[in-house]
Amino acid sequence: MSTHAVPLRAEPAPRPTPRWFAFAGAGALIAVGYMDPGNWATALSAGAGYGYALLGVVLLASLMGMLLQWMSSRVGVVSGRDLAELAHERYGRRTVLMLWIAAEIAIIACDVAEVLGVAVALQLLLGVSLAVGVALSAVGTFGLLALKRRGTRRLEGTVTALIMFTAACFVAQLALAHPDWAAALRGFAPSREMMTNTGMLWLAAGILGATVMPHNLYLHSALVKDLAPERQPAQVRQALLGVNFDTFGSLVFAFVINAALLILAAAVFHANGNTGVSDLGDAQRLLAPLLGHQWAGLLFAGALLACGLNSTVTGTLAGQAVMQGFLKLKLTPWKRALLTRALAIGPAFLAVAAFGEHGSTSLLVASQVVLSLQLPLAVIPLVKFASDRSLMGRWRVGGVLLGLAWICVAMILGLNAALIGQAVAG
């Protein structure tokens, strides 16, 4: 009687530790908020009106954004909760309600900018009225959100492709504009005139609000909170490494885009005496004759459309995170998009009716100032959570980085106070 050896059961192979790029993707969605139509409006007005003088504000705002987004992602990975969820757990009901209302106001203000940005782009590309462009702006949002049903990676890939298209458009336009790079480099130095010039201060607050957005801080922590589900030190360390590469790489890229837009406006408009150009439509129409190339205006409008569509998606995702975290109320993406868009389209239509076809940029800049005023209500809880040893343990933020974070808070509060003071003084 023959015997057969029973084969030994193969042990499952250990799951390989994911490389850093496995955690990439969230940074691209966050970077979108740093180059939305609100950024276009503030950078265009700043470059045309004051040349390269406000490039230092763009750099400072970007560095502040990098620090705060890094802290937001760190809190999300380490704690496994987003900022809204942590506020719900640790603050009283009235405080939570106040923070939620402030966050929703910021999201709506941002969405107003995105609606108008897409509407202006559609007007420039298709020749439709601005009012029709506002109405059509929702279609692209729902189209991009439909990609999320096929997986987050598909949406992240589409967003990244649109960002790269935007970058290519600016490279082409800068090559035609021939900026004064020495003057641009000097523009990164701080300007004392900003604190005494009402126009510069208004735009500086707009640049800050357009760059460091409250909803981006909530969204970033929500996007990365499940990357280290077991909370083991090695797992957390690996996730933080990947998220850091993703965050800083994406935001450096966003800074380059924002600086390029201001440099383009300074080189094309300010240098030629067109210091009053602030309307996106006027800018697009002037680019072709000033740069001497018929494709310049088309590239400008195409890049604006790409940025506007991207931003509407991240605004919707941030709205989901805020509503679910603060109120424990969950809406599907299309319902959240419909709610936010309904609240934003009203002010957009009113702006078109009140200011006409060329008043959109004024509302865009104003919406970014609203974001700047709302920013401390997101940043202060973030810094407190990130430095809380009971929450973060060995991963808490301290020392120099914590000091820099509180300096950021003080600068935001100081700029807002100066802005309000000038407004009261007339």
Side-chain angles (χ1 to χ4, degrees):
M1 185 173 179
S2 62
T3 59
H4 298 279
V6 178
L8 296 175
R9 190 173 184 177
E11 293 292 332
R15 183 165 50 181
T17 302
R19 300 297 184 93
W20 70 266
F21 49 77
F23 301 102
L29 293 174
I30 296 304
V32 163
Y34 284 71
M35 56 181 84
D36 74 340
N39 291 79
W40 284 59
T42 53
L44 173 65
S45 298
Y50 303 100
Y52 304 103
L54 288 172
L55 274 172
V57 178
V58 176
L59 175 61
L60 180 62
S62 297
L63 291 174
M64 290 170 61
M66 291 177 194
L67 174 61
L68 296 174
Q69 294 294 164
W70 169 78
M71 294 178 72
S72 175
S73 63
R74 192 176 186 86
V75 168
V77 170
V78 174
S79 71
R81 278 106 71 198
D82 59 53
L83 296 184
E85 289 174 327
L86 289 170
H88 179 85
E89 292 175 8
R90 294 177 168 239
Y91 295 147
R93 184 176 179 180
R94 290 184 179 179
T95 302
V96 168
L97 185 61
M98 180 192 69
L99 292 176
W100 171 69
I101 292 174
E104 292 288 2
I105 290 173
I107 291 171
I108 292 168
C110 185
D111 205 54
V112 168
E114 291 150 5
V115 167
L116 286 173
V118 173
V120 170
L122 290 173
Q123 181 188 47
L124 299 177
L125 292 170
L126 304 179
V128 300
S129 69
L130 201 57
V132 172
V134 169
L136 290 175
S137 64
V139 177
T141 304
F142 289 112
L144 282 176
L145 286 174
L147 293 173
K148 197 171 187 297
R149 294 186 177 182
R150 300 187 178 184
T152 304
R153 286 296 185 187
R154 184 72 60 90
L155 177 62
E156 291 171 349
T158 303
V159 167
T160 302
L162 290 174
I163 291 175
M164 298 306 295
F165 170 75
T166 302
C169 290
F170 276 113
V171 168
Q173 290 176 92
L174 284 174
L176 295 170
H178 303 294
D180 183 344
W181 292 109
L185 189 61
R186 291 193 296 271
F188 286 107
S191 172
R192 294 182 180 179
E193 184 185 358
M194 187 186 72
M195 299 310 296
T196 57
N197 186 309
T198 304
M200 290 184 76
L201 184 63
W202 174 260
L203 285 172
I207 290 171
L208 179 62
T211 305
V212 190
M213 294 187 176
H215 76 275
N216 254 359
L217 300 176
Y218 290 107
L219 177 60
H220 206 171
S221 59
L223 290 173
V224 302
K225 66 181 182 179
D226 296 323
L227 293 182
E230 299 171 7
R231 306 286 171 257
Q232 297 297 324
Q235 189 184 56
V236 171
R237 185 181 300 108
Q238 187 70 15
L240 288 175
L241 177 64
V243 168
N244 290 345
F245 271 104
D246 184 40
T247 299
F248 289 113
S250 299
L251 295 187
V252 166
F253 193 84
F255 160 71
V256 172
I257 297 295
N258 285 330
L261 180 55
L262 192 148
I263 290 170
L264 178 67
V268 177
F269 303 127
H270 187 82
N272 288 291
N274 296 298
T275 57
V277 176
S278 61
D279 183 78
L280 292 171
D282 289 341
Q284 189 263 355
R285 283 184 286 272
L286 288 171
L287 275 174
L290 289 175
L291 291 180
H293 200 290
Q294 61 180 351
W295 287 99
L298 186 61
L299 291 173
F300 181 89
L304 176 60
L305 180 61
C307 288
L309 289 174
N310 266 350
S311 301
T312 59
V313 174
T314 57
T316 299
L317 296 178
Q320 276 186 295
V322 165
M323 184 170 284
Q324 186 173 345
F326 280 122
L327 304 183
K328 301 305 175 184
L329 178 61
K330 186 173 183 179
L331 292 180
T332 58
W334 73 266
K335 289 181 180 178
R336 176 65 215 197
L338 186 62
L339 174 63
T340 308
R341 192 50 40 98
L343 294 173
I345 282 180
F349 273 125
L350 288 175
V352 174
F355 301 107
E357 295 287 305
H358 301 285
S360 57
T361 302
S362 298
L363 182 59
L364 283 172
V365 176
S367 69
Q368 305 312 296
V369 175
V370 171
L371 292 176
S372 177
L373 294 173
Q374 297 289 336
L375 190 55
L377 296 178
V379 173
I380 292 174
L382 168 63
V383 177
K384 293 179 69 175
F385 293 149
S387 59
D388 188 335
R389 188 179 298 276
S390 65
L391 175 67
M392 300 292 289
R394 62 189 291 188
W395 310 105
R396 69 180 290 269
V397 177
V400 175
L401 292 176
L402 180 59
L404 289 174
W406 283 119
I407 290 174
C408 289
V409 172
M411 291 178 65
I412 294 168
L413 291 173
L415 181 61
N416 288 343
L419 184 66
I420 293 171
Q422 286 198 359
V424 172

